[in-house]
Amino acid sequence: MNYSCPLCQQPLQFGDNGYRCANRHHFDQAKEGYVNLLPVQQKSSKEPGDSKAMMLARREFLHAGFYQCLSDAINAELLEVLSSKQSYRLLDLGCGEGYYTGRLSKAFEAAERQLQVEAIDISKSAIRFAAKRYPTVDFAVASAYQLPFADQSFDAIVRCFAPSQHQELLRLLESGGQLLTVTPGEQHLFELKSAIYPYPKPHQLPTTELEGFSHRNRLRVSQTLTIESGAAITALLNMTPFAWRMSDTQKAQLAAKPLALSLDFCIDRFERD
């Protein structure tokens, strides 16, 4: 772990079950193994990020394997592109409860490849669960807009459905470093949109132009999925922003019978100039 102080940007040193900088700012390591590097000055609310209910719903849905096709595609892309050196350092930005992070770490381990994974999220409840489940990954509570790492700390960054600050991505990646972004494809969960909106519109695909980066690859991962379990359907609804647009009656109606869904993901890989 090579953290920087979120208050003064000085390097943090580990000792006495916590991290301390030269200016004596101190951050305790939690018993689960993560460190909270989100000072109150960077919080927009008392408990920023996804709520515990949303995190638990996402955990239930993802660990049932419904989005494994996306996880496998992310792992395959990174295993292919991160192959010229003995070891790499990667940041999972907005890691949530750690599903993609944990599977990525295990994929490199299975391929006998060295990958040091750092992962951050602004949700303390998500990071607490992730650190307990994936002890080989270094987790921290932190803001994606003020990342607690030194310049050019990473060979690769993964940003899966997560907001970020563009200058921070440029700052943290080495020249030639890889940025992998995951966004919804045009038809992703379109059936849910159709149940909510009278005139649903497809998602817009993201731009392939990012200042300071060259676009190297776009991969579409699409799959038709039928969810039989009412509990899994409810978990899906509760982990997405669609939950805020639906009444309890609408949710119950959708969960009462098998739900056919379109999964559509867009994976873009950029290289730092």
Side-chain angles (χ1 to χ4, degrees), residues 102-115:
R103 295 195 82 246
L104 175 62
S105 181
K106 289 179 179 178
F108 271 76
E109 182 181 348
E112 299 182 342
R113 303 268 295 281
Q114 293 185 29
L115 183 70

Side-chain angles (χ1 to χ4, degrees), residues 17-231:
N17 203 36
Y19 293 84
R20 188 185 301 272
C21 71
N23 291 323
R24 298 186 178 181
H25 299 128
H26 185 263
F27 305 89
D28 291 331
Q29 186 178 53
K31 63 180 181 180
E32 294 87 354
Y34 71 90
V35 59
N36 190 337
L37 297 177
L38 184 67
V40 66
Q41 299 94 318
Q42 296 179 14
K43 288 186 176 183
S44 57
S45 64
K46 185 177 180 180
E47 293 293 336
D50 290 344
S51 67
K52 185 176 181 179
M54 287 186 71
M55 185 277 293
L56 291 173
R58 187 168 60 239
R59 179 186 72 176
E60 179 180 347
F61 186 82
L62 292 179
H63 286 278
F66 292 113
Y67 279 11
Q68 184 175 325
C69 60
L70 172 60
S71 175
D72 289 343
I74 292 171
N75 296 350
E77 181 76 5
L78 287 169
L79 279 165
E80 180 178 351
V81 72
L82 301 181
S83 59
S84 62
K85 297 196 303 185
Q86 288 284 352
S87 62
Y88 289 88
R89 192 165 183 226
L90 177 143
L91 172 64
D92 188 351
L93 195 160
C95 64
E97 79 305 321
Y99 171 74
Y100 301 105
T101 325
R103 295 195 82 246
L104 175 62
S105 181
K106 289 179 179 178
F108 271 76
E109 182 181 348
E112 299 182 342
R113 303 268 295 281
Q114 293 185 29
L115 183 70
Q116 181 182 351
V117 182
E118 311 275 356
I120 67 102
D121 199 277
I122 202 169
S123 169
K124 185 176 178 180
S125 61
I127 288 294
R128 181 185 291 117
F129 173 81
K132 290 171 66 175
R133 189 176 183 110
Y134 305 106
T136 61
V137 176
D138 297 325
F139 289 98
V141 182
S143 168
Y145 294 87
Q146 294 172 280
L147 290 160
F149 302 99
D151 296 355
Q152 300 184 14
S153 289
F154 296 100
D155 301 288
I157 295 176
V158 174
R159 187 184 67 186
C160 188
F161 304 119
S164 65
Q165 209 277 338
H166 182 71
Q167 290 303 317
E168 285 289 85
L169 301 176
L170 288 171
R171 181 179 71 82
L172 291 186
L173 277 173
E174 295 183 345
S175 178
Q178 303 297 308
L179 170 65
L180 202 73
T181 68
V182 180
T183 51
E186 293 166 307
Q187 299 300 311
H188 187 56
L189 303 183
F190 194 77
E191 295 80 1
L192 289 185
K193 281 190 170 185
S194 300
I196 300 169
Y197 304 107
Y199 305 104
K201 297 180 180 180
H203 290 283
Q204 289 188 340
L205 292 180
T207 180
T208 57
E209 296 183 4
L210 287 180
E211 182 182 357
F213 290 91
S214 298
H215 188 257
R216 295 305 187 199
N217 190 33
R218 168 164 284 179
L219 176 65
R220 293 291 291 274
V221 179
S222 301
Q223 181 178 316
T224 300
L225 179 71
T226 299
I227 305 177
E228 305 281 350
S229 164

